[in-house]
Amino acid sequence: MARLAILVVLLAASSALSAAQKASPKPAAKAAPGPASSGGGAADAAPPTDINKALKDEQFSEFKQLLHDTRVDTQINAQLTDSYNGLTIVAPTNAAFDKMKAGVLNGLSPQEQIQMVLYCVLPRFYSLSMLGTLNGKVTTQGSGHDGPYKYDIERSGNNINVSTGVNWMLLGSPVSKDFPLAIYPVDKVPLPYELFGPKPPTPAPAPAPAPAKSKTKKKKKSAGIAEPPTADDDTSTSDNQKAAAAPGAGGVATRWVVAALSVGAAVLGGGLF
């Protein structure tokens, strides 16, 4: 009987404990950690892989339009998505395009416009400190018959000077500095030397070759047939005539011979009669 009473008490205590647990409020679920805020939200924290979004500032509107017209923006975005080296863009501002002479861009062929835009793209990521260590020629993605177009980059105090051989410019503060895309604004449009440098002079045409001289073939003399006198024969005859007519030892000898023949003929004639 005592054991039954203890069992009843235990069952009652268990029921009371269960009811108390159901009645107590459940603890709030732990909130999932959100993305770290870095001034611009999660979108800014993502690696830059869209050149058009990276050039969102209105001062690059003309350059963005040129990227779109030449479809170089599509090529750049593909490289940013699938590249281990990254890219560096030298981005001319609207003020840079305003400084260009009218008609310069329209004077280029579509292919030359593409190469001019690619001239603004370096085929790897360069931070500002990395650019400061460069001193000399740096290859771009623009190219022509003689190979890739190049910049001459060197440090000038605290600035980075970029020369094309036609014009030069200083790099501004980067508007994108996270791998894989670095973008530096410039206040001049980079002009490739291969497209805008002085053209070599056109070589003078080679002189026409002199006409070949035709050789006169001499006819073979046939046996027994007299040949008409040639110019050499005429000259020889004329020289003989001049020699005979000229006074001198030859003329005196001739007169003596004629006189001797006359005397001989007279003697013979006298002997006969």
Side-chain angles (χ1 to χ4, degrees):
M1 192 70 181
R3 291 180 179 179
L4 181 60
I6 293 173
L7 181 60
V8 170
V9 172
L10 290 176
L11 288 174
S14 176
S15 297
L17 181 61
S18 176
Q21 288 179 346
K22 289 180 180 180
S24 62
K26 295 182 179 180
K30 189 176 180 180
S37 177
S38 58
D44 292 341
T49 56
D50 189 328
I51 183 63
N52 294 303
K53 291 182 179 179
L55 294 172
K56 58 186 177 182
D57 197 308
E58 184 60 27
Q59 67 173 331
F60 300 112
S61 61
E62 292 192 38
F63 183 51
K64 285 174 63 176
Q65 186 62 48
L66 193 56
L67 286 168
H68 175 73
D69 293 342
T70 57
R71 298 185 180 179
V72 172
D73 56 348
T74 303
Q75 175 180 334
I76 290 175
N77 290 341
Q79 288 180 272
L80 291 174
T81 305
D82 188 24
S83 173
Y84 295 101
N85 295 323
L87 296 174
T88 300
I89 309 293
V90 179
T93 62
N94 293 348
F97 283 98
D98 291 341
K99 295 177 183 178
M100 292 186 67
K101 293 181 179 180
V104 171
L105 287 178
N106 293 334
L108 299 176
S109 68
Q111 182 60 31
E112 289 173 337
Q113 289 186 11
I114 292 173
Q115 297 308 320
M116 180 178 171
V117 176
L118 288 174
Y119 188 54
C120 298
V121 184
L122 306 183
R124 62 164 297 176
F125 176 87
Y126 288 103
S127 66
L128 199 58
S129 60
M130 293 170 66
L131 288 170
T133 63
L134 301 176
N135 190 15
K137 300 293 183 182
V138 178
T139 300
T140 72
Q141 288 197 337
S143 63
H145 297 296
D146 297 328
Y149 300 164
K150 297 181 179 180
Y151 288 131
D152 194 352
I153 296 180
E154 61 180 10
R155 177 181 286 278
S156 177
N158 294 327
N159 300 314
I160 305 298
N161 181 29
V162 177
S163 175
T164 70
V166 177
N167 60 353
W168 65 273
M169 60 228 68
L170 296 176
L171 297 183
S173 299
V175 297
S176 175
K177 56 184 179 180
D178 296 326
F179 185 86
L181 180 61
I183 301 178
Y184 301 95
V186 290
D187 61 353
K188 297 178 185 177
V189 178
L191 303 178
Y193 185 87
E194 290 78 0
L195 296 180
F196 295 94
K199 301 296 186 291
T202 304
K213 295 181 179 180
S214 58
K215 296 182 179 180
T216 305
K217 294 182 180 180
K218 295 183 178 181
K219 297 181 180 180
K220 293 183 179 180
K221 296 182 179 181
S222 301
I225 300 178
E227 292 289 335
T230 62
D232 292 341
D233 296 334
D234 293 341
T235 304
S236 177
T237 303
S238 177
D239 291 343
N240 291 338
Q241 290 176 351
K242 291 178 180 179
V252 175
T254 303
R255 288 195 293 272
W256 278 104
V257 172
V258 173
L261 291 176
S262 300
V263 172
V267 173
L268 291 176
L272 291 174
F273 298 99

